[in-house]
Amino acid sequence: MILCVGESLIDMVPEGANYRPLPGGAVYNTAIALGRMGVPTGYLWPLSRDRFGETLMRPLAEAGVDTALCPRSDRLTTLAFVSLEGGEARYFFYDEGSAGRMFSPEDLPEIPETVSALFIGGISLVPDPCGAAVEELVRRVRHRMPIMLDPNIRPFFISDSNAYRARLERLFAMADLVKLSGDDMDWLMPGKSYEEAAAAILARGPRVVFQTGGSAGARAFWAGETQIAQAVRVEVADTIGAGDTFNAGVMAALDHAGALSRDALDRLDAQTIAKALTLGTRAAAITVSRPGANPPWAHELEGQPA
C-alpha cells in the first residue's frame, strides 16, 4: 500500500460571484488519484469533525483509500480560496490553528508493515508542527520503503524561506523520487537551468527527478539518458490538481511494474521511467480538462495510447 501523508483542505473555487467548496489539497489529491487508479492507497492526516471534514472523507471512501490512520480533530479544516488567472490556479490559505497545521511528531501513529511506499509534499511541509511531523515520519521509515516527494512550492505561504529550504535539503537527502514543476525549480535554484537544478538534487541522493512543465510535457532526470513525455493536448478547464495527478500516475506505473521498492529502484531502467512519465502526463491531461481537482478513474485511462 502507498501511504500519502500531507494536507487535505477545501478549495473555495470561484463560481460566478460566489465560491464553490471542493475537496482538495496536494497530497489529498494524489491519494484520491491513486485510489481511483486502483492502487492500494492509504492516507494519513488529521481530519476535522466539522462539516468540511465530512466533505473530505467522502471522496476518500469512494476511491477506496484507507483512512484508518487518520486522527479526527475538533480543530477546523484548512480553506484555500482559489483565484484563476488565465486558467492557472493561485491560492490564498486560511490555515492558522487548523486540524492539519497542528499535527505534531507526538501524534504520529505506528506505520504498519502493509505500507510499501510513502508519498509526501505540499504546504504541509512548510509550517510547524506539521512540517516537523512529516519530516520525522520520513526519518523513521526511509530505510523500510521508498519515498516520493513533491514540495509543490507556494512562495506566498512561506514565512521563513531559510527554514523551509533547510527542511527541503534534509528531505531531498532522504527521498528516492522527487517531482518538481518548472516554477519549483526556479524558486529553489534561481538562475540555473532545469538540467542543472535536477543534477544538483540528484547529487543529494534521489534516484529520479521528475520535472513537469504543463503544455511542455514532462521530463525525468536520472543516472541514464533524460526521458521525455509530450503533453497530451486537451482543452484546459483549469490546472487544479494537475501535478498531484501526475504524481499518482508516476507512482501507479512504478507500482504496476514492480519498481516501487528499495531493491527495484536500484534496477530502474529507461523503459520503466518512460512508462511512468507517460501515465503521469495522460492522467494529468484528464484532470486539467475538467474543473477542479477531479482525477481520472482507472477505466478512463484504459485503451489510451501508452
Side-chain angles (χ1 to χ4, degrees), residues 274-295:
K275 287 183 176 179
L277 272 179
T278 298
L279 185 58
T281 53
R282 287 169 51 208
I286 293 175
T287 298
V288 302
S289 72
R290 48 204 193 193
N294 186 5

Side-chain angles (χ1 to χ4, degrees), residues 161-181:
S161 62
N162 289 334
Y164 178 58
R165 287 177 183 275
R167 171 162 289 150
L168 288 184
E169 285 293 322
R170 296 190 297 271
L171 289 172
F172 287 146
M174 295 188 285
D176 300 281
L177 308 169
V178 173
K179 196 294 288 286
L180 297 164
S181 68

Side-chain angles (χ1 to χ4, degrees), residues 5 24-25 34-35 68 111 186 191 217 226-227 260 292:
V5 183
L34 279 167
I111 304 302
D186 289 339
T226 300
Q227 298 299 303
L260 204 54

Side-chain angles (χ1 to χ4, degrees), residues 8 24 44 67-68 83 88 99 108 150 186 194 211 217 225 249:
S8 53
L44 167 57
T67 57
S83 168
E88 292 289 329
L108 289 169
D150 175 11
D186 289 339
Y194 296 154
Q211 182 251 316
E225 183 179 352

